[in-house]
Amino acid sequence: MPSTQGTQSQARIDDLRRRKETIKLGGGEEKLAKQRAGGKLTARERIDALADANSFQEFSMFAQHRCNYFGMAGKDAPADGVVTGVGTVDGRYVHIASQDFTVFGGSAGEVHSEKVVEAMRAALRTGTPFVFLNDSGGARIQEGIDSLSGYAKVFYANTQLSGVVPQISLICGPCAGGAAYSPALTDFIIQTRHAQMFITGPSVIKQVTGEDVSAEELGGAEAQMHYSGVVHFVAEDDEEAVLVCKRLLSFLPSNNLEDAPVQPGEYSLEPEPALNEVVPEDARQPYDIRDVVARVVDYGDFMEVQETYAENIVVGFGRVAGRTVGIVANQPKVFAGVLDINSSDKAARFIRFCNAFNIPIVTFVDTPGFLPGVSQEYGGIIRHGAKVLFAYSAATVPKVSVIVRKAYGGAYVAMCARDLGADRVFAWPSAEIAVMGADGAAEIVFKREIEAAEDKAAARAEFTEKYRSTFSTPYVAGSRRMVDDVIEPAQTRIAVARALESLHTKHELRPAKKHGLMPM
Ligand code: HXC
């Protein structure tokens, strides 16, 4: 017969188990079923998908709100609507917060937000990434300004973590008001097609501006990627969002004092003859720069960031000989690879991320320049373009540039020219490093000669060719030491890999300061 003490212990254990089971049910079976019926995983299922099996340690599981307003007194809020803790993802520790929409719509009250901040601070102390799975109606309305205070604490913590540990947000459900600003302060946002993200929803917009727009059109994943550039990756559903997150983490170091993990393996460093065929002979013909990138990174494995935003520039992660690199490349297929406001913002932000997390930057250049136009000038192309100049100049990580074709004017400089601190500059024989295209230059420099000529077209062609053969080659830049080497395209992967290997120990000091003043 069990002892009395044993019986009491068993009762307590049963009670504990019951309590935990109840908390794990969140807002209850009915609401969980509704969540699943909407094609979404629950907060705990998302964590199970992200973290390695049995690795998750939960924080503050028994937390409850302290709100007495509007019928909240005594109302149960399991885990106060957010599951937080630490687990491993592919063997590396990651701190996680996952909002539970089945508990008051995942809304963020005082305690809810404090739990999120607790996980963030733990990420900061341990130098591990923070992943926030968002599914929330925003500030918990019943808690009034206490929820605003909670959100402010999250934003403050986001800012403290920024540049110290990678922060990734998954947008898995509605993300209204304050719920959109914490993700905006993180490094990468992955949004599912089941989710919407906006500051003010369609009904408020209708009242204020009269515009009629659906939630999907306004804040769907495509809209927030393509139009606003807020989102970095679009995923079909929660499962895919988690896979994207895992893949992204695999490229990143755990914190700003570490290097990204090296992918073990044997890497072929053989010539890639196909690279000799990528760039068309006619300089006006477009091609896809991703065909070049894929032949330089290991196994063609390139994770493009913001694929459908400002497509005239391509940014993303790959590896060269097992080590992570950030790729920045003009895309001649879209607007000839011109630099404009949005592509400048996209590139500058990515360069800043790479620099903060010790990721070398490889730049592929084929751009006719900055985009001319009234809307670009009024929109502040001077300010936005300057972000690229600033970001490259301020970056102390290894910087390797490959000039593939056009590198004209200010855009040549902006795409990490030698004098912007490129450690190594390679040019292909097709490179045209010039203040402008030969056609335009000939029109200006030889204006009188062309006007005086009997056959103007022939004269124009002759002078254009004269300018091109003088300046539109890589050899003048080579003679000025703006190019280290002119290489056969097929040798690019080898040249980049060897340069990066020799730059691995690069250490560059800058004058001490609180922070620079990047044009915003
Ligand atoms: C408290 C909330 C809530 C909130 C939703 N719920 N949002 N409770 N505070 N902010 C509750 C609902 O009352 C409901 O409870 C349950 O969550 C599910 O919500 P539904 O409306 O039934 O779900 P759905 O139809 O899917 O719509 C989801 C939604 C909608 C689009 C998020 O609920 C909504 O518009 N919520 C309000 C959004 C909002 O205005 N938030 C405040 C933003 S202000 P029951 O009990 O019925 O299941 C803000 C300021 C921060 O965030 C500023 C910081 C800078």
Side-chain angles (χ1 to χ4, degrees), residues 31 34 101 104-105 107 137-142 148 151 155 174 176-178:
K31 285 192 171 163
K34 192 175 166 200
F101 192 77
F104 298 120
S107 59
R140 189 174 295 158
I141 296 164
Q142 296 89 328
L148 292 189
Y151 256 130
F155 303 157

mmCIF file of all heavy atoms in Angstrom, residues 31 34 101 104-105 107 137-142 148 151 155 174 176-178, ligand 1:
data_model
loop_
_atom_site.group_PDB
_atom_site.id
_atom_site.type_symbol
_atom_site.label_atom_id
_atom_site.label_comp_id
_atom_site.label_asym_id
_atom_site.label_seq_id
_atom_site.Cartn_x
_atom_site.Cartn_y
_atom_site.Cartn_z
ATOM 1 N N LYS A 31 -11.066 26.629 -30.268
ATOM 2 C CA LYS A 31 -10.305 27.696 -30.937
ATOM 3 C C LYS A 31 -9.084 27.120 -31.670
ATOM 4 O O LYS A 31 -8.711 27.609 -32.741
ATOM 5 C CB LYS A 31 -9.879 28.754 -29.926
ATOM 6 C CG LYS A 31 -11.058 29.624 -29.531
ATOM 7 C CD LYS A 31 -10.670 30.845 -28.762
ATOM 8 C CE LYS A 31 -11.896 31.741 -28.633
ATOM 9 N NZ LYS A 31 -11.794 32.743 -27.620
ATOM 10 N N LYS A 34 -10.326 25.852 -34.884
ATOM 11 C CA LYS A 34 -10.600 26.948 -35.817
ATOM 12 C C LYS A 34 -9.284 27.429 -36.459
ATOM 13 O O LYS A 34 -9.216 27.682 -37.669
ATOM 14 C CB LYS A 34 -11.271 28.099 -35.046
ATOM 15 C CG LYS A 34 -11.852 29.151 -35.949
ATOM 16 C CD LYS A 34 -12.612 30.210 -35.159
ATOM 17 C CE LYS A 34 -12.878 31.424 -36.032
ATOM 18 N NZ LYS A 34 -13.167 32.630 -35.302
ATOM 19 N N PHE A 101 -2.842 32.833 -30.989
ATOM 20 C CA PHE A 101 -4.042 33.583 -31.398
ATOM 21 C C PHE A 101 -5.291 33.071 -30.696
ATOM 22 O O PHE A 101 -6.300 33.781 -30.612
ATOM 23 C CB PHE A 101 -4.218 33.505 -32.927
ATOM 24 C CG PHE A 101 -5.233 34.471 -33.458
ATOM 25 C CD1 PHE A 101 -4.916 35.812 -33.599
ATOM 26 C CD2 PHE A 101 -6.525 34.062 -33.790
ATOM 27 C CE1 PHE A 101 -5.859 36.727 -34.067
ATOM 28 C CE2 PHE A 101 -7.468 34.977 -34.252
ATOM 29 C CZ PHE A 101 -7.129 36.309 -34.398
ATOM 30 N N PHE A 104 -7.133 35.360 -26.427
ATOM 31 C CA PHE A 104 -7.394 36.793 -26.681
ATOM 32 C C PHE A 104 -6.779 37.263 -27.998
ATOM 33 O O PHE A 104 -6.165 38.332 -28.082
ATOM 34 C CB PHE A 104 -6.878 37.662 -25.528
ATOM 35 C CG PHE A 104 -7.539 37.389 -24.213
ATOM 36 C CD1 PHE A 104 -6.808 36.959 -23.117
ATOM 37 C CD2 PHE A 104 -8.914 37.539 -24.067
ATOM 38 C CE1 PHE A 104 -7.419 36.693 -21.913
ATOM 39 C CE2 PHE A 104 -9.539 37.277 -22.854
ATOM 40 C CZ PHE A 104 -8.794 36.839 -21.769
ATOM 41 N N GLY A 105 -6.888 36.441 -29.010
ATOM 42 C CA GLY A 105 -6.388 36.824 -30.336
ATOM 43 C C GLY A 105 -4.892 37.093 -30.364
ATOM 44 O O GLY A 105 -4.418 37.879 -31.201
ATOM 45 N N SER A 107 -3.331 38.826 -28.559
ATOM 46 C CA SER A 107 -3.082 40.246 -28.290
ATOM 47 C C SER A 107 -2.042 40.407 -27.179
ATOM 48 O O SER A 107 -1.909 39.564 -26.295
ATOM 49 C CB SER A 107 -4.390 40.955 -27.929
ATOM 50 O OG SER A 107 -4.963 40.355 -26.793
ATOM 51 N N GLY A 137 -3.636 40.244 -32.699
ATOM 52 C CA GLY A 137 -4.505 41.397 -32.962
ATOM 53 C C GLY A 137 -3.894 42.699 -32.473
ATOM 54 O O GLY A 137 -4.574 43.718 -32.450
ATOM 55 N N GLY A 138 -2.631 42.667 -32.055
ATOM 56 C CA GLY A 138 -1.961 43.907 -31.623
ATOM 57 C C GLY A 138 -2.127 44.147 -30.135
ATOM 58 O O GLY A 138 -2.329 43.210 -29.345
ATOM 59 N N ALA A 139 -2.059 45.404 -29.756
ATOM 60 C CA ALA A 139 -2.137 45.761 -28.335
ATOM 61 C C ALA A 139 -3.449 45.237 -27.739
ATOM 62 O O ALA A 139 -4.514 45.408 -28.344
ATOM 63 C CB ALA A 139 -2.059 47.272 -28.187
ATOM 64 N N ARG A 140 -3.374 44.586 -26.552
ATOM 65 C CA ARG A 140 -4.604 44.047 -25.935
ATOM 66 C C ARG A 140 -5.465 45.203 -25.454
ATOM 67 O O ARG A 140 -5.083 45.945 -24.528
ATOM 68 C CB ARG A 140 -4.269 43.085 -24.779
ATOM 69 C CG ARG A 140 -5.509 42.354 -24.282
ATOM 70 C CD ARG A 140 -5.165 41.303 -23.244
ATOM 71 N NE ARG A 140 -4.367 40.237 -23.796
ATOM 72 C CZ ARG A 140 -3.587 39.434 -23.061
ATOM 73 N NH1 ARG A 140 -3.519 39.596 -21.762
ATOM 74 N NH2 ARG A 140 -2.897 38.481 -23.640
ATOM 75 N N ILE A 141 -6.586 45.337 -26.104
ATOM 76 C CA ILE A 141 -7.386 46.541 -25.937
ATOM 77 C C ILE A 141 -7.864 46.716 -24.496
ATOM 78 O O ILE A 141 -7.827 47.816 -23.941
ATOM 79 C CB ILE A 141 -8.561 46.521 -26.939
ATOM 80 C CG1 ILE A 141 -7.978 46.577 -28.366
ATOM 81 C CG2 ILE A 141 -9.516 47.692 -26.719
ATOM 82 C CD1 ILE A 141 -8.936 46.191 -29.474
ATOM 83 N N GLN A 142 -8.223 45.617 -23.829
ATOM 84 C CA GLN A 142 -8.716 45.708 -22.453
ATOM 85 C C GLN A 142 -7.660 46.271 -21.491
ATOM 86 O O GLN A 142 -7.986 46.854 -20.472
ATOM 87 C CB GLN A 142 -9.147 44.327 -21.931
ATOM 88 C CG GLN A 142 -10.318 43.711 -22.671
ATOM 89 C CD GLN A 142 -9.881 42.872 -23.863
ATOM 90 O OE1 GLN A 142 -8.884 43.161 -24.503
ATOM 91 N NE2 GLN A 142 -10.658 41.844 -24.181
ATOM 92 N N LEU A 148 0.339 49.275 -24.324
ATOM 93 C CA LEU A 148 1.257 50.139 -25.084
ATOM 94 C C LEU A 148 2.638 50.126 -24.440
ATOM 95 O O LEU A 148 3.672 50.050 -25.115
ATOM 96 C CB LEU A 148 0.732 51.580 -25.122
ATOM 97 C CG LEU A 148 -0.539 51.837 -25.915
ATOM 98 C CD1 LEU A 148 -0.783 53.336 -26.023
ATOM 99 C CD2 LEU A 148 -0.462 51.222 -27.301
ATOM 100 N N TYR A 151 4.389 46.973 -25.413
ATOM 101 C CA TYR A 151 4.936 47.028 -26.768
ATOM 102 C C TYR A 151 6.213 47.857 -26.812
ATOM 103 O O TYR A 151 7.195 47.498 -27.476
ATOM 104 C CB TYR A 151 3.919 47.615 -27.742
ATOM 105 C CG TYR A 151 3.274 46.550 -28.595
ATOM 106 C CD1 TYR A 151 1.906 46.465 -28.741
ATOM 107 C CD2 TYR A 151 4.072 45.610 -29.257
ATOM 108 C CE1 TYR A 151 1.327 45.466 -29.506
ATOM 109 C CE2 TYR A 151 3.501 44.617 -30.022
ATOM 110 C CZ TYR A 151 2.126 44.540 -30.140
ATOM 111 O OH TYR A 151 1.574 43.558 -30.899
ATOM 112 N N PHE A 155 9.889 46.967 -28.374
ATOM 113 C CA PHE A 155 10.627 47.758 -29.384
ATOM 114 C C PHE A 155 12.011 48.133 -28.848
ATOM 115 O O PHE A 155 13.002 48.097 -29.583
ATOM 116 C CB PHE A 155 9.878 49.060 -29.730
ATOM 117 C CG PHE A 155 8.474 48.856 -30.238
ATOM 118 C CD1 PHE A 155 7.528 49.869 -30.133
ATOM 119 C CD2 PHE A 155 8.089 47.660 -30.829
ATOM 120 C CE1 PHE A 155 6.234 49.698 -30.600
ATOM 121 C CE2 PHE A 155 6.793 47.475 -31.299
ATOM 122 C CZ PHE A 155 5.867 48.493 -31.172
ATOM 123 N N PRO A 174 -2.750 37.690 -38.472
ATOM 124 C CA PRO A 174 -2.868 39.150 -38.545
ATOM 125 C C PRO A 174 -1.762 39.814 -37.740
ATOM 126 O O PRO A 174 -1.311 39.281 -36.735
ATOM 127 C CB PRO A 174 -4.244 39.427 -37.925
ATOM 128 C CG PRO A 174 -4.600 38.204 -37.165
ATOM 129 C CD PRO A 174 -3.899 37.067 -37.821
ATOM 130 N N ALA A 176 -1.489 43.601 -36.731
ATOM 131 C CA ALA A 176 -2.041 44.943 -36.856
ATOM 132 C C ALA A 176 -1.392 45.887 -35.860
ATOM 133 O O ALA A 176 -1.019 45.483 -34.762
ATOM 134 C CB ALA A 176 -3.555 44.908 -36.628
ATOM 135 N N GLY A 177 -1.274 47.137 -36.237
ATOM 136 C CA GLY A 177 -0.789 48.172 -35.330
ATOM 137 C C GLY A 177 0.590 47.852 -34.790
ATOM 138 O O GLY A 177 1.532 47.594 -35.540
ATOM 139 N N GLY A 178 0.681 47.866 -33.456
ATOM 140 C CA GLY A 178 1.974 47.635 -32.799
ATOM 141 C C GLY A 178 2.595 46.316 -33.204
ATOM 142 O O GLY A 178 3.825 46.177 -33.238
HETATM 143 C C1 HXC B 1 -8.034 42.062 -27.262
HETATM 144 C C2 HXC B 1 -8.505 40.931 -29.188
HETATM 145 C C3 HXC B 1 -7.732 41.817 -29.934
HETATM 146 C C4 HXC B 1 -7.086 42.879 -29.234
HETATM 147 C C5 HXC B 1 -8.531 40.367 -31.273
HETATM 148 N N1 HXC B 1 -8.978 40.048 -30.066
HETATM 149 N N2 HXC B 1 -7.766 41.453 -31.228
HETATM 150 N N3 HXC B 1 -8.648 41.053 -27.867
HETATM 151 N N4 HXC B 1 -7.265 42.950 -27.906
HETATM 152 N N5 HXC B 1 -6.315 43.760 -29.864
HETATM 153 C C6 HXC B 1 -9.846 38.916 -29.712
HETATM 154 C C7 HXC B 1 -11.246 39.054 -30.263
HETATM 155 O O1 HXC B 1 -12.035 39.816 -29.381
HETATM 156 C C8 HXC B 1 -11.689 37.595 -30.303
HETATM 157 O O2 HXC B 1 -12.034 37.201 -29.003
HETATM 158 C C9 HXC B 1 -10.409 36.864 -30.653
HETATM 159 O O3 HXC B 1 -9.342 37.759 -30.325
HETATM 160 C C10 HXC B 1 -10.301 36.538 -32.108
HETATM 161 O O4 HXC B 1 -10.561 37.706 -32.853
HETATM 162 P P1 HXC B 1 -11.580 37.729 -34.081
HETATM 163 O O5 HXC B 1 -11.864 39.141 -34.356
HETATM 164 O O6 HXC B 1 -12.713 36.796 -33.829
HETATM 165 O O7 HXC B 1 -10.667 37.090 -35.223
HETATM 166 P P2 HXC B 1 -10.573 37.489 -36.741
HETATM 167 O O8 HXC B 1 -11.925 37.594 -37.342
HETATM 168 O O9 HXC B 1 -9.628 36.486 -37.329
HETATM 169 O O10 HXC B 1 -9.928 38.939 -36.789
HETATM 170 C C11 HXC B 1 -8.623 39.146 -36.298
HETATM 171 C C12 HXC B 1 -8.293 40.659 -36.244
HETATM 172 C C13 HXC B 1 -9.396 41.404 -35.477
HETATM 173 C C14 HXC B 1 -8.181 41.187 -37.689
HETATM 174 C C15 HXC B 1 -6.921 40.802 -35.583
HETATM 175 O O11 HXC B 1 -9.634 40.703 -34.254
HETATM 176 C C16 HXC B 1 -9.042 42.809 -35.155
HETATM 177 O O12 HXC B 1 -9.162 43.700 -36.015
HETATM 178 N N6 HXC B 1 -8.594 43.063 -33.912
HETATM 179 C C17 HXC B 1 -8.309 44.392 -33.446
HETATM 180 C C18 HXC B 1 -7.044 44.909 -34.070
HETATM 181 C C19 HXC B 1 -6.607 46.212 -33.438
HETATM 182 O O13 HXC B 1 -7.227 47.246 -33.690
HETATM 183 N N7 HXC B 1 -5.634 46.133 -32.519
HETATM 184 C C20 HXC B 1 -5.160 47.237 -31.762
HETATM 185 C C21 HXC B 1 -4.083 47.879 -32.546
HETATM 186 S S1 HXC B 1 -3.495 49.294 -31.714
HETATM 187 P P3 HXC B 1 -13.184 36.133 -28.723
HETATM 188 O O14 HXC B 1 -13.264 36.077 -27.258
HETATM 189 O O15 HXC B 1 -14.398 36.628 -29.420
HETATM 190 O O16 HXC B 1 -12.684 34.860 -29.332
HETATM 191 C C22 HXC B 1 -1.949 48.896 -31.395
HETATM 192 C C23 HXC B 1 -1.195 50.044 -30.831
HETATM 193 C C24 HXC B 1 0.215 49.690 -30.530
HETATM 194 O O17 HXC B 1 -1.497 47.848 -31.587
HETATM 195 C C25 HXC B 1 1.040 50.882 -30.870
HETATM 196 C C26 HXC B 1 2.453 50.682 -30.476
HETATM 197 C C27 HXC B 1 3.320 51.673 -31.213
#
